[in-house]
Amino acid sequence: MTNEELLAATAVNLWKLSLSRIDKLFLNASPKELEQEIAPGKNRLIYLWGHLTAVSLGPRLHPELDAAFVTAPDKTAVDPPSHDDVRRAWNEVNAKLAEGFAKMSPADWLKRHNAVSDEDFAKEPLRNRLAILLSRASHLAYHYGQAALISK
Amino acid sequence: MTNEELLAATAVNLWKLSLSRIDKLFLNASPKELEQEIAPGKNRLIYLWGHLTAVSLGPRLHPELDAAFVTAPDKTAVDPPSHDDVRRAWNEVNAKLAEGFAKMSPADWLKRHNAVSDEDFAKEPLRNRLAILLSRASHLAYHYGQAALISK
């Protein structure tokens, strides 16, 4: 591997590791644990799961999750998606991401992300696709820290 | 900047951003907030702060923090360091890290970290210094998610 490839692969690996540990936590949680609040009065585990599925990277595959897990605070949505709906969407979103990432070269990671304007990108080349990936990996870790507070 | 430099700088930027947001939270917390538990029966904010200072990257500058913030669970240490002790150590550790990082080239980031054996590194070149940096950035985000649960 070239240095460029090693640097990009090391960064992509942070995403993979962050995803894999929270994936394990969600998939192993019982229905009762998914309904538990991470702390009294705070979000339930299923809300974090739906939230992370809805705001993941790439093309929006499940905009129907927004109402229950992004726009609305937890425990307020009428007729929210079921645990199984969230699990299916989560698995689908992450499979598509892994497929997409496998095709990207180091130079691809340095391209402008859609959320950044051409003008801003010219001034701040670090606002590239890799930065978005790392920031989402950090978002996974942020909520993993909260999910880890649930007592089994 | 070359692609190598951009890739390394993007990754180092995750560390900087992760540090800067939790730094703000700690430095703006009142003495009362620092004594507050992130959730009932869980660690206090000052414990997270001492913990993240003690287990930071680079040479151990403050091994005296281990007894109160790593080895012992929260609220059990006898005569623990004060808020000011933690603040001073935190600022010192992070200033040294920023100084060290500024001197590192992309190739430096790809070198073996001290915590990994030569043998393991030969098999797994992604276990480099950059991977450790990213994993520590993720550790900051993990505890930042918990610290954010404190109600002001």
Side-chain angles (χ1 to χ4, degrees):
Chain A
M1 279 172 109
T2 64
N3 278 1
E4 276 184 40
E5 285 166 344
L6 283 167
L7 289 161
T10 302
V12 174
N13 217 27
L14 180 75
W15 164 266
K16 289 184 188 163
L17 294 168
S18 308
L19 180 63
S20 125
R21 64 180 188 169
I22 203 164
D23 183 65
K24 204 171 288 171
L25 186 148
F26 286 141
L27 296 177
N28 288 336
S30 67
K32 200 177 143 212
E33 282 162 357
L34 288 173
E35 292 298 324
Q36 219 176 304
E37 294 171 338
I38 49 169
K42 305 291 181 181
N43 295 329
R44 289 168 307 150
L45 196 54
I46 185 65
Y47 186 82
L48 295 190
W49 198 3
H51 169 73
L52 288 172
T53 307
V55 304
S56 187
L57 287 152
R60 306 297 308 276
L61 296 177
H62 290 283
E64 80 282 5
L65 296 175
D66 283 14
F69 300 114
V70 180
T71 324
D74 191 18
K75 291 157 274 181
T76 61
V78 179
D79 196 18
S82 70
H83 295 178
D84 279 346
D85 291 336
V86 172
R87 180 181 292 106
R88 264 192 301 270
W90 168 259
N91 285 332
E92 188 194 337
V93 164
N94 291 320
K96 291 265 181 210
L97 286 179
E99 212 180 290
F101 294 168
K103 292 178 200 149
M104 287 176 71
S105 70
D108 287 336
W109 283 112
L110 290 173
K111 287 181 187 157
R112 180 179 69 85
H113 186 268
N114 290 339
V116 180
S117 73
D118 276 320
E119 204 187 345
D120 285 346
F121 189 58
K123 282 180 278 184
E124 301 176 86
L126 297 191
R127 295 179 68 184
N128 51 47
R129 293 178 186 176
L130 190 64
I132 307 283
L133 178 80
L134 291 174
S135 133
R136 296 307 167 88
S138 199
H139 188 207
L140 290 171
Y142 176 99
H143 288 303
Y144 183 66
Q146 298 178 335
L149 294 174
I150 286 203
S151 321
K152 299 255 171 178
Chain B
M1 278 172 113
T2 64
N3 278 1
E4 275 185 41
E5 285 166 344
L6 283 167
L7 289 161
T10 302
V12 174
N13 217 26
L14 181 75
W15 165 265
K16 289 183 188 166
L17 293 168
S18 308
L19 180 63
S20 126
R21 63 179 188 170
I22 203 164
D23 183 64
K24 205 171 289 174
L25 187 148
F26 286 142
L27 295 179
N28 288 336
S30 67
K32 200 178 144 212
E33 282 161 358
L34 287 173
E35 292 298 323
Q36 221 177 303
E37 293 172 337
I38 49 169
K42 305 290 179 180
N43 294 329
R44 290 167 307 149
L45 196 54
I46 185 66
Y47 187 82
L48 295 190
W49 198 3
H51 170 73
L52 288 172
T53 307
V55 304
S56 187
L57 287 151
R60 306 297 308 278
L61 297 176
H62 291 282
E64 80 281 5
L65 296 175
D66 283 14
F69 301 114
V70 180
T71 324
D74 191 18
K75 291 156 275 182
T76 61
V78 179
D79 196 17
S82 70
H83 295 178
D84 279 346
D85 291 336
V86 172
R87 180 181 293 108
R88 264 192 301 271
W90 168 258
N91 285 332
E92 187 194 339
V93 165
N94 291 320
K96 291 263 181 213
L97 285 179
E99 212 180 290
F101 294 169
K103 292 180 200 147
M104 287 176 72
S105 69
D108 287 336
W109 283 111
L110 290 173
K111 287 181 187 155
R112 181 180 67 85
H113 186 268
N114 290 339
V116 180
S117 73
D118 276 320
E119 203 186 345
D120 285 346
F121 189 58
K123 282 180 276 184
E124 302 176 84
L126 297 191
R127 295 180 69 182
N128 50 47
R129 293 177 186 176
L130 190 64
I132 308 282
L133 178 79
L134 291 174
S135 133
R136 296 306 167 89
S138 200
H139 188 208
L140 290 172
Y142 176 98
H143 289 303
Y144 183 65
Q146 298 178 335
L149 294 174
I150 287 204
S151 321
K152 298 256 172 176

